[in-house]
Amino acid sequence: MSNSSETIWLALSDELSTWPDAAHGKMMSAPAVTRKGKVFAFYSSKGAAIGIGFRVGRNLDPDTLGLNAWQYLSPFKTKPPMKDWVIVTDEPADKLRELAQISYDGLG
């Protein structure tokens, strides 16, 4: 994400929180958006993965999404990455909405 990644997140999370069954929430200590209490998007501002995280599931290959820059969420030093989640670092707003929709639908 650019230097304004937090601004982008704030606007996106406000939009996502208006979707049915969605609300602002937390993922660990990070701001997030939930659907029926389960996180589907969050903002990572710490560690090596600064950007917006989306729960895309294990059955979706992130390479097929045409992302500019992504990595699996890896919040623990002694555990493998969480391959249900991707962190994106440089995507246009329409791509972020597409990822949010995939994440949201996955919790349906």
Side-chain angles (χ1 to χ4, degrees), residues 4-76:
S4 62
S5 63
E6 188 171 11
T7 302
I8 292 167
W9 164 254
L10 291 172
L12 180 66
S13 66
D14 282 347
E15 177 185 337
L16 300 179
S17 69
T18 67
W19 292 5
D21 300 319
H24 288 283
K26 292 278 183 189
M27 177 156 174
M28 296 180 234
S29 63
V33 181
T34 64
R35 180 178 188 185
K36 297 180 184 177
K38 294 186 179 182
V39 174
F40 70 94
F42 74 100
Y43 180 69
S44 174
S45 63
K46 298 178 183 172
I50 296 175
I52 300 175
F54 297 97
R55 184 178 188 169
V56 296
R58 288 184 178 258
N59 295 329
L60 181 64
D61 179 357
D63 287 327
T64 65
L65 297 172
L67 302 173
N68 293 323
W70 69 273
Q71 62 186 358
Y72 287 116
L73 174 62
S74 187
F76 309 109

Side-chain angles (χ1 to χ4, degrees), residues 51-101:
I52 300 175
F54 297 97
R55 184 178 188 169
V56 296
R58 288 184 178 258
N59 295 329
L60 181 64
D61 179 357
D63 287 327
T64 65
L65 297 172
L67 302 173
N68 293 323
W70 69 273
Q71 62 186 358
Y72 287 116
L73 174 62
S74 187
F76 309 109
K77 292 182 185 204
T78 60
K79 294 183 180 181
M82 299 171 70
K83 294 191 175 182
D84 287 2
W85 290 88
V86 295
I87 305 291
V88 296
T89 56
D90 185 24
E91 299 300 331
D94 60 331
K95 182 58 79 172
L96 295 175
R97 282 188 202 90
E98 177 185 336
L99 289 166
Q101 190 69 60

